[in-house]
């Protein structure tokens, strides 16, 4: 018994050390954003909210935030439409090209973002499509589609086929079956997948950097600010982005948790 307690203590200590090594650097800019900066060093004895006040009054940051939200919402809507259609097509089992479909959907997500971004950049250049927020939306949709598709497919496969068969037996059309049978059962999965997709889009930097035009999103704005050196504004922006994406992930987990069966 004593040996087991010692082993658990060592495991807890190792887990705590790993947690500190992994997440310790994240908390440094968050904590320093609440203190003043003097001669390039953080003054831990002078707490202040000036960095957040300056951030809220920065017009460039607000424009980048608006662009980020616009791109994220558009990418979520497009990925949900494509994800539902692809999941229904795959789950129907009527096509021999289902493996190819999954390969096409998952490949941009599994490749390094720089490869996906370069491929999109070359494609847009070859078809003479000017880079703008539209190309960023396309790039983000391609990137997050795999997550949305897989989430919806898992939920779809967990549903009993007898529900669909009963709907057809009662004379419902394909659209009515989707609207009144499948869609209500997919709603929570759609919300969870949409939130996670928005979180990924909100943080995406490499693909955005390669396919964007003159309109910057928030991560690109942050990257441009860091080239001039770290300031309290940067620390505050990092804290806002980390806090917002963490909140989105926790919210998505609420909708993606397995439902309890009576």
């Amino acid at each position: 018994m004593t040996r087991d307690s010692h082993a658990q203590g060592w495991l807890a200590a190792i887990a705590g050390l790993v947690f500190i090594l992994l997440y310790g650097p994240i908390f440094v800019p968050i904590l320093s954003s609440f203190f003043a900066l003097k001669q390039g060093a953080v003054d831990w004895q002078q707490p202040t909210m000036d960095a957040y006040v300056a951030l809220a009054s920065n017009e460039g940051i607000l424009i980048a935030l608006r662009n980020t939200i616009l791109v994220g919402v558009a990418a979520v809507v497009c990925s949900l439409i494509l994800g539902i259609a692809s999941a229904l097509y795959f789950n129907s089992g009527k096509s021999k090209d289902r493996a190819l479909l999954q390969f096409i959907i998952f490949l941009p997500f599994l490749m390094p973002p720089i490869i996906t971004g370069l491929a999109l950049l070359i494609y847009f250049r070859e078809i003479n499509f000017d880079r703008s927020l539209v190309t960023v939306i396309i790039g983000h949709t391609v990137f997050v589609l795999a997550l949305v598709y897989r989430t919806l497919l898992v939920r779809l496969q967990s549903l009993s086929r007898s529900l669909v068969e009963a709907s057809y037996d009662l004379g419902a059309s394909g659209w009515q079956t989707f609207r009144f049978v499948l869609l209500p059962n997919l709603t929570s999965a759609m919300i969870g997948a949409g939130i996670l997709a928005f979180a990924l889009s909100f943080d995406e930097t490499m693909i955005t950097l390669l396919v964007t035009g003159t309109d910057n999103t928030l991560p690109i704005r942050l990257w441009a600010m860091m080239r001039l050196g770290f300031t309290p504004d940067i620390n505050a922006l990092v804290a806002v982005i980390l806090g917002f994406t963490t909140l989105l992930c926790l919210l998505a987990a609420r909708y993606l948790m397995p439902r309890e069966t009576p």
Side-chain angles (χ1 to χ4, degrees):
M1 192 69 179
T2 305
R3 183 178 299 177
D4 291 340
S5 62
H6 283 305
Q8 292 178 358
W10 278 108
L11 287 176
I14 294 174
L17 179 61
V18 171
F19 181 84
I20 293 174
L21 292 175
L22 288 178
Y23 297 101
I26 296 178
F27 292 107
V28 172
I30 296 177
L31 291 176
S32 60
S33 66
F34 294 99
F35 294 89
L37 193 67
K38 288 185 177 181
Q39 298 179 352
V42 178
D43 186 0
W44 299 105
Q45 296 180 350
Q46 187 178 351
T48 178
M49 295 291 292
D50 291 345
Y52 291 91
V53 174
L55 198 65
S57 59
N58 191 319
E59 185 178 356
I61 294 294
L62 297 178
I63 293 175
L65 176 61
R66 182 198 64 189
N67 293 337
T68 302
I69 295 175
L70 175 63
V71 169
V73 171
V76 167
V77 172
C78 294
S79 62
L80 282 175
I81 294 174
L82 295 174
I84 291 175
S86 302
L88 290 173
Y89 177 76
F90 182 90
N91 197 56
S92 66
K94 297 180 180 179
S95 174
K96 298 180 180 179
D97 301 328
R98 296 190 301 165
L100 178 60
L101 172 67
Q102 291 206 123
F103 176 79
I104 294 174
I105 292 176
F106 284 123
L107 187 60
F109 186 80
L110 296 176
M111 287 193 304
I114 189 172
I115 302 300
T116 301
L118 282 173
L120 289 169
L121 175 62
I122 295 172
Y123 173 74
F124 292 139
R125 186 186 62 182
E126 290 299 321
I127 64 174
N128 294 322
F129 197 90
D130 294 334
R131 288 183 293 171
S132 63
L133 287 182
V134 176
T135 56
V136 177
I137 292 172
I138 295 173
H140 285 205
T141 301
V142 170
F143 180 66
V144 304
L145 177 58
L147 183 147
V148 175
Y149 162 78
R150 186 58 187 173
T151 303
L152 295 178
L153 181 61
V154 170
R155 178 62 59 85
L156 195 61
Q157 291 177 335
S158 67
L159 300 178
S160 175
R161 297 191 66 87
S162 61
L163 294 175
V164 177
E165 294 172 357
S167 177
Y168 286 135
D169 290 340
L170 293 173
S173 63
W175 167 248
Q176 290 174 326
T177 300
F178 171 74
R179 180 181 177 185
F180 297 108
V181 178
L182 295 178
L183 191 59
N185 288 282
L186 291 174
T187 300
S188 62
M190 290 172 57
I191 295 174
I195 294 174
L196 281 180
F198 186 85
L200 284 178
S201 174
F202 192 87
D203 281 343
E204 176 52 45
T205 303
M206 185 56 64
I207 295 177
T208 308
L209 182 63
L210 291 170
V211 301
T212 191
T214 57
D215 298 316
N216 290 330
T217 61
L218 206 55
I220 301 302
R221 179 71 180 183
L222 175 61
W223 178 79
M225 292 169 62
M226 286 190 300
R227 290 189 301 172
L228 302 177
F230 285 89
T231 63
D233 293 356
I234 294 178
N235 293 331
L237 185 56
V238 170
V240 170
I241 293 176
L242 287 175
F244 183 68
T245 52
T246 301
L247 179 63
L248 288 177
C249 292
L250 293 175
L251 186 61
R254 177 181 178 274
Y255 288 97
L256 295 176
M257 291 265 308
R259 295 172 296 178
E260 295 183 359
T261 56

